[in-house]
Amino acid sequence: MALREGRPGEPVLDEGVVRLQGGRVDLVVVAEMVAPGSRVLDVGSGDGELLELLATTRGCDARGIELSREGVNAGVARGLAVVQGDADVDLAHYPDDAFDYVILSQTLQATRRPRWVLEQMLRIGRRAVVSFPNFGHWRSRLDLMVNGRMPVTDNMPISWYETPNIHFCTIRDFVALVELLDARIEKAVALDSSGHRVRVNMPWWVWNLLGEQAVFLLTRKG
């Protein structure tokens, strides 16, 4: 599934349906953005599903850092290289350009210092891949407008008083942060709730309405 060219300053959109049997739809998109044989660090690796996908389908030297002991144990049980650590603190201990790619999948909104975490990812990796739920999706807006309550969706299934998510953002918020960090967007994909990629080249505000989640591939400028 190849990405098509977009107009300068606008997202590069693609067509197709992303499917991962029994798993999250964004993980296939993330894996597609990683060059085969790369050195990869997955920040917030969870149970190791993405690490295993990268190792088996892309031949990557994939390693993970995970906050929960349960996640670390699950990754190790899969035969993966996973250590326990806190992204909000421990990324500072990695040297510059230690990895080809640093990945943060569906974890950005749960970090205490999202800007700092993204800065560290771009420092220790030549490229960064970030996926996150889009709080600007039309269903979330409708829930707030009609019901006056924080939305609960398939992609954000936990009520506000129990969720680990503390920094929800929209696609436009994320693009603004990337510009603030003076980074460059190499690729971007928006997905709806069924795993379909948004089909047309449109400005960011359209993505903000139609994309329930997004995946970005970033590099440092220069």
Side-chain angles (χ1 to χ4, degrees):
M1 291 182 284
L3 293 166
R4 296 187 282 114
E5 295 294 327
R7 295 187 293 272
E10 294 184 351
V12 181
L13 301 157
D14 196 10
E15 299 181 5
V17 181
V18 179
R19 300 192 187 279
L20 181 62
Q21 186 66 35
R24 294 196 338 241
V25 296
D26 65 305
L27 296 187
V28 172
V29 179
V30 170
E32 287 177 350
M33 292 185 178
V34 176
S38 299
R39 292 170 297 137
V40 180
L41 176 66
D42 184 12
V43 180
S45 55
D47 63 2
E49 184 178 13
L50 177 58
L51 287 174
E52 189 171 60
L53 182 67
L54 289 168
T56 57
T57 67
R58 309 297 279 176
C60 292
D61 177 6
R63 303 167 185 272
I65 175 173
E66 166 60 28
L67 181 61
S68 72
R69 172 52 59 183
E70 294 79 11
V72 173
N73 290 341
V76 171
R78 292 176 184 247
L80 303 168
V82 182
V83 298
Q84 188 168 23
D86 185 346
D88 284 299
V89 177
D90 295 325
L91 292 182
H93 303 315
Y94 288 88
D96 295 354
D97 294 325
F99 297 92
D100 299 311
Y101 295 83
V102 180
I103 297 172
L104 191 71
S105 61
Q106 302 292 332
T107 305
L108 180 69
Q109 70 279 357
T111 61
R112 297 188 300 276
R113 298 189 290 170
R115 175 178 175 172
W116 182 88
V117 169
L118 191 54
E119 288 173 334
Q120 294 302 307
M121 292 173 64
L122 289 166
R123 178 185 63 80
I124 65 180
R126 293 183 172 85
R127 288 177 172 82
V129 184
V130 183
S131 70
F132 57 92
N134 174 33
F135 201 71
H137 185 252
W138 68 267
R139 283 198 182 94
S140 297
R141 300 186 192 204
L142 188 63
D143 274 349
L144 284 170
M145 183 176 67
V146 175
N147 300 320
R149 301 185 64 180
M150 292 293 287
V152 176
T153 67
D154 289 343
N155 203 40
M156 297 182 291
I158 305 175
S159 296
W160 67 269
Y161 48 84
E162 293 180 331
T163 180
N165 299 324
I166 56 177
H167 283 117
F168 277 122
C169 71
T170 70
I171 290 175
R172 293 189 71 182
D173 286 330
F174 185 80
V175 171
L177 176 57
V178 172
E179 293 173 351
L180 183 64
L181 297 178
D182 199 29
R184 183 166 66 92
I185 299 172
E186 280 198 357
K187 294 180 182 178
V189 174
L191 302 171
D192 66 18
S193 57
S194 300
H196 292 83
R197 305 186 184 206
V198 178
R199 291 177 175 271
V200 291
N201 289 322
M202 291 289 181
W204 291 119
W205 69 266
V206 177
W207 271 39
N208 220 24
L209 282 173
L210 301 181
E212 188 169 72
Q213 55 183 319
V215 186
F216 283 78
L217 174 63
L218 311 176
T219 60
R220 300 184 298 253
K221 285 186 178 178

